Amino acid sequence: MDQVLAGRTALVTGSTSGIGLGIAKIYAEAGAKVMLNGFGKPEEIAKARAEIGALQGGGDAPYSAADLSKPEAVRQMVREAEAALGRIDILVNNAGIQFVAPVDEFPDDKFDAIIAINFASNFHAIKAALPGMKARNWGRIINVASAHGLVASPHKVAYVSAKHAVVGMTKTVALEVAKLPITCNAICPGFVRTPLAEAQVGPLAKEHGVSEQQALEDYLLDKQPSKRWIEVDEVAQMALYLVGPGSGGVNGAALSIDGGWLAA
Ligand code: NAD
């Protein structure tokens, strides 16, 4: 791959799994130094650090175990990334969780956790990382929102609210940096083949008394006209475009990658 990110540094949150790991890999392949963050089994985190580290020329990639539901931990992660990488050129706010229930049964603690991790952590990370970008006169911020940042589905009150808020925050930050060589954009994927999305198939099959394949087709991909999962690499390619050469005019956008969901 062309080293279009040679000399760049990136902090990617929630990068021990799924979309975040895919973005971290493609950035490292393109020559960036990347810091990882997220939870998981120690051996899986070690594997991800070694894999990304190898792409960066050896050693383990830097990693923060910050729990992004806690604002001070988010700020600490940004400080650690600035120390480990020298600076943060690219910030990808990707960490997220999901919980599904009707609004009148939705547990308060799950609501609070989704708002904190999927939404508020983006604010705390941007607030902490932006001064460095302004000082160096270059930066790229990507918030991984969702098709659910643009349209709703039942039983996802916290997730849909958080993702709509992420799109609003993306636009606000974009306007504030518009005259600088800094951009802030949101990526809005439909259903992507990751542990977060695949975990929704089993409960849907149970709820409707159908096979997992049937549940996938009837209750998840029913929204997605392409009738197939979006793959992690497809989202990573969009994230690479947004930080590579030639994308500086794209600012404040909420870019869909959803097999036609939003067109319907
Ligand atoms: P995933 O479960 O594979 O990965 C989520 C990552 O976030 C993991 O690394 C996890 O450890 C981390 N994380 C969770 N809670 C955290 C916390 N408190 N502190 C730090 N890290 C934490 O999920 P994914 O599908 O790759 O999701 C990544 C992002 O993409 C999320 O924001 C999600 O909402 C969004 N998204 C996913 C889909 C999809 O279909 N998979 C669609 C649209 C948007």
Side-chain angles (χ1 to χ4, degrees):
M1 177 178 288
D2 287 352
Q3 299 287 289
V4 291
L5 299 183
R8 298 288 189 207
T9 64
L11 168 61
V12 184
T13 72
S15 45
T16 51
S17 169
I19 293 170
L21 183 56
I23 293 174
K25 270 188 201 160
I26 209 166
Y27 284 1
E29 281 165 6
K33 265 176 74 181
V34 183
M35 181 162 179
L36 304 176
N37 156 258
F39 300 152
K41 292 185 185 138
E43 60 273 20
E44 284 168 5
I45 294 172
K47 189 171 161 245
R49 293 185 67 184
E51 214 175 323
I52 304 289
L55 294 168
Q56 299 179 164
D60 284 348
Y63 162 75
S64 161
D67 175 352
L68 302 191
S69 67
K70 301 187 169 78
E72 184 45 37
V74 179
R75 291 188 279 270
Q76 176 66 23
M77 171 187 67
V78 169
R79 286 194 291 271
E80 280 173 27
E82 286 175 336
L85 303 170
R87 63 189 188 281
I88 300 171
D89 295 323
I90 300 163
L91 169 66
V92 182
N93 290 309
N94 164 78
I97 58 169
Q98 176 62 285
F99 190 84
V100 180
V103 62
D104 46 349
E105 294 168 19
F106 210 93
D108 291 353
D109 61 336
K110 297 287 184 200
F111 182 86
D112 291 346
I114 289 177
I115 297 299
I117 297 164
N118 295 20
F119 168 54
S121 76
N122 297 17
F123 161 73
H124 296 296
I126 291 168
K127 184 177 173 186
L130 190 55
M133 293 178 182
K134 284 181 175 171
R136 290 182 303 276
N137 211 31
W138 198 88
R140 293 284 179 267
I141 299 167
I142 296 175
N143 298 318
V144 179
S146 169
H148 283 121
L150 302 168
V151 291
S153 293
H155 301 173
K156 295 186 175 176
V157 64
Y159 190 87
V160 169
S161 303
K163 294 299 189 180
H164 273 69
V166 167
V167 171
M169 183 164 49
T170 301
K171 293 176 184 175
T172 307
V173 174
L175 291 178
E176 292 187 21
V177 299
K179 288 200 172 134
L180 305 172
I182 298 174
T183 64
C184 180
N185 291 290
I187 294 179
C188 298
F191 285 104
V192 186
R193 195 197 306 267
T194 72
L196 179 144
E198 288 183 305
Q200 295 173 50
V201 180
L204 279 171
K206 221 170 159 187
E207 184 187 336
H208 297 282
V210 296
S211 69
E212 294 208 349
Q213 184 57 32
Q214 201 67 44
L216 176 67
E217 287 171 16
D218 291 355
Y219 304 107
L220 277 188
L221 299 186
D222 62 319
K223 309 258 188 202
Q224 212 150 279
S226 59
K227 296 289 174 206
R228 67 161 179 89
W229 290 106
I230 301 291
E231 301 296 343
V232 163
D233 186 57
E234 295 178 286
V235 183
Q237 292 284 352
M238 182 179 264
L240 179 62
Y241 164 74
L242 284 173
V243 303
S247 62
V250 183
N251 189 28
L255 296 169
S256 292
I257 173 163
D258 62 8
W261 181 341
L262 262 291

